Amino acid sequence: MILQTEKLTYKYPNSHGHTAVDQADISLHKGETVGLFGESGSGKSTLGLILAGLIKPTSGMLRHNGEKISAPYKGAHRRGIQILFQHPEISFNPALILLKSMTEPYNIYALPYSYSSLLEYLKHYGLYEEHLYRTPAQLSGGELQRAALARILAIQPEVIVLDEPTSMLDVITQVQIMNILKDYQSKNNVSYILISHNRILCEKMCGRIYKVENGVFTEEYGRPTDK
Ligand SMILES: Nc1ncnc2c1ncn2[C@@H]1O[C@H](COP(=O)(O)OP(=O)(O)OP(=O)(O)O)[C@@H](O)[C@H]1O
Ligand SMILES: [Mg+2]
């Protein structure tokens, strides 16, 4: 089991007692895609933020490869669990040209790269040299989301929380991103948590789905992962 939660609970400090995530028991196996499906405000993104170590649960426990972890993550946990947001602008410094943002993970994790290897790598994501000298505001939503994904996959995480990764994008870009994710998973055995309010997408991508209602996560079975 790559990720497992026990009674994870979260109340926002200013929420007057409302429980955003209510005793969630979630499990994720290696190479698996699990869906979190539910209406707006049901608590999906809050759970995603907890799993990614960006907020600390009010109570409950989280394990990564059997080891108890708590935010902020360090070492293998930090590298191993990543999140891709619906709005990729969140992950980029608006003042930096893309080249600076794309080299960041290589520098942080001391991974080898060269300018030409980076260019070759980015081609796979439909990104070219001209894009590298633009700031996030000078790129389209689809280009920026592909850059965000390329940056995450460069560090070879074990788990990626995908929080509505394509809901702002046109259908062609949606399919491109989903295909990149599926292809990467089949080669690297990465695990995904796919947050979506699109039932069809969840059923297409996920082996298992948790239905989320008012902070309560209930497991149900979708169709087998279409790999
Ligand atoms: N920063 C915050 N402060 C207080 N309450 C919050 C905050 N962020 C979210 N909430 C509340 O927590 C609950 C769960 O929100 P969350 O963003 O997890 O829902 P969601 O399922 O991701 O919804 P959506 O599909 O619209 O993205 C909602 O009632 C929301 O209003
Ligand atoms: Mg959300």
Side-chain angles (χ1 to χ4, degrees):
M1 197 91 72
I2 197 145
L3 269 193
Q4 186 163 32
T5 75
E6 278 170 39
K7 295 193 177 355
L8 265 195
T9 297
Y10 192 82
K11 294 181 189 203
Y12 284 97
N14 55 351
S15 62
H16 308 288
H18 176 255
T19 307
V21 172
D22 196 356
Q23 305 200 51
D25 292 331
I26 299 286
S27 61
L28 180 69
H29 297 270
K30 204 165 166 55
E32 184 186 30
T33 300
V34 157
L36 305 183
F37 167 78
E39 284 178 8
S40 183
S42 56
K44 308 180 296 295
S45 293
T46 306
L47 185 75
L49 292 171
I50 298 173
L51 297 179
L54 297 176
I55 56 177
K56 267 183 197 260
T58 313
S59 61
M61 201 215 293
L62 174 57
R63 290 179 191 275
H64 177 214
N65 291 325
E67 219 178 297
K68 267 195 210 174
I69 51 172
S70 67
Y73 300 158
K74 296 201 173 70
H77 305 305
R78 179 169 165 218
R79 179 171 174 177
I81 308 171
Q82 298 289 323
I83 184 165
L84 183 69
F85 294 105
Q86 177 175 10
H87 299 282
E89 311 84 66
I90 296 174
S91 333
F92 287 92
N93 180 335
L96 295 184
I97 56 166
L98 193 61
L99 179 61
K100 295 257 185 228
S101 299
M102 296 313 295
T103 52
E104 226 172 45
Y106 297 94
N107 294 329
I108 292 174
Y109 295 103
L111 304 170
Y113 77 98
S114 65
Y115 185 71
S116 60
S117 73
L118 182 66
L119 280 183
E120 192 56 37
Y121 173 69
L122 289 177
K123 259 196 222 166
H124 183 58
Y125 297 86
L127 296 167
Y128 302 94
E129 195 165 20
E130 63 192 84
H131 298 115
L132 289 178
Y133 296 92
R134 300 198 207 151
T135 61
Q138 294 165 336
L139 292 159
S140 74
E143 287 161 352
L144 204 55
Q145 190 62 302
R146 292 197 300 267
L149 181 57
R151 195 161 65 153
I152 287 175
L153 297 186
I155 67 170
Q156 300 181 317
E158 293 169 74
V159 175
I160 308 176
V161 178
L162 304 161
D163 191 352
E164 304 274 9
T166 59
S167 42
M168 299 300 287
L169 306 172
D170 64 72
V171 176
I172 292 173
T173 316
Q174 273 181 26
V175 172
Q176 275 174 349
I177 289 192
M178 287 302 159
N179 284 341
I180 292 171
L181 286 167
K182 278 202 252 181
D183 184 51
Y184 185 84
Q185 188 177 50
S186 67
K187 291 179 181 140
N188 295 277
N189 219 17
V190 65
S191 311
Y192 298 136
I193 302 257
L194 177 64
I195 296 175
S196 181
H197 49 246
N198 181 338
R199 181 89 214 186
I200 294 168
L201 181 70
C202 270
E203 288 188 352
K204 196 166 159 36
M205 293 288 292
C206 302
R208 285 188 299 131
I209 295 174
Y210 291 89
K211 186 146 197 267
V212 193
E213 282 171 307
N214 203 16
V216 177
F217 291 68
T218 313
E219 185 176 345
E220 52 173 65
Y221 289 86
R223 291 207 295 263
T225 308
D226 174 20
K227 278 192 203 162

